[in-house]
Amino acid sequence: MVQGDGASGYSGHSTHVAGTMLATGIDPNAHGMANLANLRAFDWNSDYAEMASEAANGALLSNHSYVYITGWFNGGSYWYCTGYHRKPVRRLFFQLYSDDARIVDSIACNAPYYLVCRAAGNDRGEGPATQPVTHYVFNGTNWIFASTVRNLDGMPSGYGCITNGFGTGKNMMTVGAVYSIPNGYNSPSDVVQNGIQLYRSYR
């Protein structure tokens, strides 16, 4: 591994993802899927400029397993719900084709052999078990109290759950989590979407 931007800290989540992709098998039970590949690691600051630079220098693939907080999240004493009060900051919505998506689509379009992989966020079904419940919503400036009944993340259909940022881009691959298939794949019904990812890196 080469640290591409001089970052000195490590994230447990990104380290885990890197191992899933590239671990060389020092532990025989932990071979990565591409264990002979090389990794250039970056923190998430200046990611778009770094992506464009790496793609111009011949990078074929990059992985981005971080998301903006979207929809419901549990803050301990209260639930928080982003993107619902009047005209909130647009990037707080699910499914939005945002400026971030447009920028990364442009980077990928200009480097046609470069594949950008993005975390879907795995926020499906997240939210309070019963409603109404007093919770915070962001009004574009401040967090304020509300008790409006709101859909759980991705509901009512269950499929509107790709988080904001650039997961909705059209020139990339957005990846979600599914449960293990211990007996191997036989039919589409074997693939069951994991409701909430255990590890998330938030911007």
Side-chain angles (χ1 to χ4, degrees), residues 4-5 9 14 25 29 41 74 87 97 102-103 116 119 128 136 154 161 163 166-167 179 186 196:
D5 59 357
S14 56
N29 294 317
N74 193 331
K87 294 182 180 178
Y97 186 79
R102 179 185 56 78
I103 290 167
V116 180
Y136 281 106
C161 55
T163 55
F166 57 91
Y179 289 105
N186 291 300
I196 299 174

Side-chain angles (χ1 to χ4, degrees), residues 30-122:
H31 274 278
M33 290 180 242
N35 54 47
L36 297 180
N38 296 315
L39 172 68
R40 284 177 54 80
F42 297 81
D43 65 19
W44 61 34
N45 298 315
S46 305
D47 49 355
Y48 301 153
E50 290 164 349
M51 290 164 70
S53 175
E54 292 294 305
N57 287 322
L60 298 178
L61 177 80
S62 64
N63 179 70
H64 307 269
S65 297
Y66 49 88
V67 297
Y68 292 112
I69 293 175
T70 309
W72 289 102
F73 68 96
N74 193 331
S77 299
Y78 289 97
W79 280 95
Y80 289 71
C81 197
T82 63
Y84 284 97
H85 182 79
R86 295 183 184 170
K87 294 182 180 178
V89 178
R90 286 174 55 82
R91 68 181 176 87
L92 299 179
F93 286 108
F94 288 103
Q95 302 298 103
L96 175 70
Y97 186 79
S98 63
D99 287 341
D100 301 89
R102 179 185 56 78
I103 290 167
V104 177
D105 269 342
S106 178
I107 293 169
C109 184
N110 289 328
Y113 297 104
Y114 169 55
L115 176 62
V116 180
C117 297
R118 180 72 157 96
N122 304 311

Side-chain angles (χ1 to χ4, degrees), residues 181 183-190:
I181 308 175
N183 298 318
Y185 177 86
N186 291 300
S187 68
S189 62
D190 295 331

